[in-house]
Amino acid sequence: MDSLALARSMRGSIGMLAMHWLMAPSTNNKATAAGMPDGMAAYSIGRLGVLGDCPVDNVIGGAFFWHPGYLAEQVRAGRSVMSPADGTAIYVRICQEWGDDHLVGFDGVARLGELAERVVVSASPLGAPTFAGWREQTLPEPGAGRTMQLCQTMRELGFNRFSTAVAASGMSPIEAIMSGPTGAWNAKLFGWPEPYPDCTSMEDARNEIEAQANRLHAVDFEVLTDDERDEFRELAKAARNHAGTLQTPESSMAPPKS
């Protein structure tokens, strides 16, 4: 398998695997039980806490798609409770625990972790701030928790490649959101106020952004051989499916409402 074909497959496997733990009610519940604030304030010093105790605008730039004013409020609310470093430590632990719970019994968990780690270690950090921040987090011993943390780090890598492609296209963040498959649901989640722009005419531009993001991400997989890329795709898909059999409404992302 070539690198581009593997890159195209990532959003539906590694991307969705990581999104479920990030947006699961159980993640927020564990975060608040550990002393973090509720909701997006925790997220801003948890998932985005890897950016460090930096200016708020750096977090806005790294998150890219969130409404700037809304995210700034959430970052300040989160930082009023604890430091980004402490919030990150909690989120990393929750990520590992989600993996322990949802990749348990998956025969390929160790090999998926091995291949993912090779990609993570070799990938360029240029234009990838949240990836670089997650890559710096200490990994646990080999097992489901370690593999899940590596999958989360890879999810950030794909996210950063996509945001780079959007920025280069000239399309605004809200236009990129509204031209995507979940449109208004994501716009609301990311704090954008209505009315939302009509982006139905942007389908071709959006498709080109997706293609460019895949081309950028494909470079990250050059560290693997053709056979290893094929193996990685199958393992990532199997891990996503395996986790799906163990997910509950509490431990998975709520689907967009139509």
Side-chain angles (χ1 to χ4, degrees):
M1 167 176 284
D2 65 33
S3 296
L4 185 58
L6 179 55
R8 291 193 189 106
S9 74
M10 285 293 98
R11 185 168 298 181
S13 56
I14 296 295
M16 289 308 301
L17 184 68
M19 278 301 294
H20 274 287
W21 92 264
L22 277 172
M23 304 309 298
S26 62
T27 293
N28 186 65
N29 292 341
K30 286 185 175 183
T32 55
M36 298 183 78
D38 190 41
M40 197 58 67
Y43 185 95
S44 72
I45 56 167
R47 178 210 159 197
L48 302 175
V50 298
L51 298 172
D53 192 15
C54 58
V56 173
D57 277 353
N58 288 34
V59 182
I60 293 169
F64 195 84
F65 293 101
W66 274 254
H67 183 275
Y70 171 75
L71 184 58
E73 291 176 0
Q74 302 306 311
V75 172
R76 294 187 182 104
R79 290 181 178 184
S80 71
V81 175
M82 66 176 59
S83 70
D86 288 341
T88 293
I90 293 170
Y91 253 56
V92 168
R93 185 181 73 245
I94 295 172
C95 174
Q96 294 167 0
E97 291 173 351
W98 196 95
D100 288 335
D101 290 340
H102 294 84
L103 295 180
V104 61
F106 174 50
D107 290 340
V109 70
R111 181 58 173 165
L112 176 60
E114 290 172 5
L115 294 174
E117 187 166 9
R118 285 174 56 193
V119 176
V120 164
V121 168
S122 68
S124 170
L126 296 178
T130 60
F131 160 71
W134 272 91
R135 182 166 65 176
E136 286 299 304
Q137 305 311 305
T138 301
L139 289 163
E141 292 299 311
R146 182 187 181 97
T147 294
M148 188 63 217
Q149 185 176 331
L150 287 162
C151 287
Q152 160 60 18
T153 306
M154 284 206 59
R155 184 263 172 194
E156 296 295 343
L157 181 59
F159 166 80
N160 288 152
R161 300 309 186 219
F162 180 67
S163 59
T164 296
V166 173
S169 76
M171 188 180 287
S172 70
I174 185 60
E175 289 172 337
I177 293 168
M178 290 305 298
S179 62
T182 53
W185 182 80
N186 262 352
K188 182 178 180 180
L189 176 68
F190 295 165
W192 292 91
E194 296 185 60
Y196 302 133
D198 180 0
C199 298
T200 54
S201 64
M202 293 184 170
E203 181 178 356
D204 289 345
R206 170 71 186 217
N207 289 341
E208 177 50 36
I209 287 171
E210 298 277 358
Q212 177 61 10
N214 288 332
R215 289 191 289 268
L216 293 172
H217 201 12
V219 178
D220 302 320
F221 297 107
E222 288 297 314
V223 68
L224 304 179
T225 66
D226 285 349
D227 287 345
E228 287 170 337
R229 286 190 285 265
D230 188 65
E231 183 183 9
F232 188 86
R233 182 188 65 172
E234 294 307 311
L235 285 169
K237 181 180 177 181
R240 170 70 186 91
N241 291 338
H242 181 90
T245 67
L246 299 176
Q247 285 170 208
T248 67
E250 183 69 11
S251 70
S252 59
M253 176 179 62
K257 294 180 181 178
S258 57

